[in-house]
Amino acid sequence: MSGALGLVWRLLHALLCLQRALLAWLRGRPAGGPRSWLWRRAASAAASCALLAPAAGTFAFRKAGAARRRPGGAAAARQRWRLDGRALQKLPVHMGLVVTEEEPSYADMASLVVWCMAVGISYVSVYDHNGIFKRNNSRLMDEILKRQQELLGLDCSKYTVEFANQDKADQVLNCQSALKVLSPEDGKADIVKAAQNFCQLVAQQRRTYTDLDVNVLDNLLSSTNGFPDPDLVLKFGPVDSTLGFLPWHIRLTEIISLPSHLNISYEDFFSALRHYAACEQRWGK
């Protein structure tokens, strides 16, 4: 098929060049010398076009074929990501992916989640300040499963991901990577709700105000039930704020800002992990 297309392409170029040669000859001066010289030059150009046409056509077809995925590409990528995760001095247990841009991309966020799974991160939280991902979490899950198959290939069964929620928090421990999709209602609003619940317990004399401490408040917060505090947050977008992402839980979290999550590459993602692995966390000391 490619040979026939190349032949047709070559023939069309030859006819076009020949037409140009005839027009140049007809427009030549009456004198024999200049006309003859012009004809020879035009004919030479036509022949050159005809000879170059198959080479250009072959290059175009090879170019298209080269863009196809190689059979061993997914396996090589899996191996690379696994080794990258093991090579880091430290790897976050819980990573937050915070999008401050107005138009989040499901495909790019799915790639980030799959890369987190591939390098060995156990817990992932996805957040955007408009709550778009949370309202459309089924669409996000479909995109993650699709990217799993594309990026991990046949090995994707080893990288299970599950949406963790308040009713099934025990399932967090039963899979390799757990995912929470959060919105602003899981931030400050969740703290307010936890405070109200504690006040009700005090009013019912089931608690006293002296019982309130960090551990008690952690247990009352439902948005991150079963999840540890984030070790690392990747914030995407021009806004210098996490826009309400888990304000109680990120007091000791390392935050790295990236320009955008749109069309983000694995190299950008892993560069952020290397930066986190190299940083010295003093834990407030």
Side-chain angles (χ1 to χ4, degrees), residues 5-272:
L5 291 175
L7 182 60
V8 171
W9 192 86
R10 180 179 61 181
L11 182 60
L12 290 175
H13 268 260
L15 291 175
L16 180 61
C17 293
L18 183 59
Q19 181 185 19
R20 291 177 178 175
L22 289 174
L23 289 174
W25 180 75
L26 291 174
R27 291 173 182 174
R29 295 181 179 179
R35 182 189 302 178
S36 177
W37 172 82
L38 186 59
W39 163 252
R40 287 196 303 269
R41 183 172 180 180
S44 176
S48 298
C49 289
L51 290 173
L52 288 174
T58 303
F59 173 79
F61 287 116
R62 287 178 183 173
K63 193 79 170 177
R68 298 173 183 171
R69 179 177 296 179
R70 295 180 181 179
R78 289 196 305 267
Q79 182 67 14
R80 174 193 173 186
W81 297 334
R82 191 178 298 114
L83 293 176
D84 283 346
R86 294 174 181 174
L88 293 174
Q89 186 176 359
K90 61 179 179 180
L91 191 68
V93 176
H94 179 189
M95 175 182 283
L97 303 172
V98 177
V99 176
T100 65
E101 297 161 282
E102 292 300 325
E103 297 183 4
S105 166
Y106 291 89
D108 291 312
M109 182 54 65
S111 296
L112 286 163
V113 171
V114 173
W115 291 334
C116 288
M117 296 159 53
V119 299
I121 297 173
S122 300
Y123 301 92
V124 182
S125 294
V126 173
Y127 176 89
D128 71 280
H129 65 288
N130 291 320
I132 297 175
F133 285 133
K134 188 171 184 177
R135 288 196 302 271
N136 302 280
N137 57 6
S138 59
R139 178 180 173 184
L140 178 61
M141 188 61 180
D142 290 342
E143 194 67 39
I144 290 172
L145 295 175
K146 176 183 175 183
R147 296 298 287 162
Q148 270 187 292
Q149 187 63 41
E150 292 175 354
L151 298 176
L152 302 178
L154 298 176
D155 203 32
C156 66
S157 59
K158 299 180 181 179
Y159 299 92
T160 56
V161 62
E162 186 167 350
F163 278 91
N165 54 44
Q166 299 174 19
D167 299 326
K168 298 180 181 180
D170 57 328
Q171 294 181 354
V172 169
L173 302 178
N174 297 330
C175 58
Q176 180 169 338
S177 295
L179 174 68
K180 274 187 180 288
V181 183
L182 305 173
S183 66
E185 66 186 18
D186 301 305
K188 294 180 180 179
D190 195 33
I191 296 177
V192 172
K193 183 178 178 181
Q196 292 173 343
N197 292 337
F198 182 79
C199 291
Q200 290 178 358
L201 293 174
V202 172
Q204 297 168 2
Q205 297 185 348
R206 297 168 57 186
R207 289 275 191 179
T208 65
Y209 70 92
T210 57
D211 293 335
L212 184 61
D213 57 18
V214 173
N215 293 328
V216 170
L217 184 56
D218 281 338
N219 293 330
L220 290 171
L221 292 171
S222 60
S223 60
T224 55
N225 191 11
F227 269 50
D229 290 348
D231 305 293
L232 172 64
V233 166
L234 298 186
K235 182 193 69 66
F236 304 97
V239 181
D240 293 329
S241 169
T242 55
L243 297 180
F245 172 72
L246 300 179
W248 174 258
H249 305 83
I250 60 173
R251 55 195 183 277
L252 299 175
T253 300
E254 186 73 17
I255 300 175
I256 297 177
S257 296
L258 296 173
S260 175
H261 74 299
L262 301 177
N263 300 318
I264 189 169
S265 66
Y266 173 77
E267 286 69 24
D268 294 332
F269 167 77
F270 189 66
S271 177

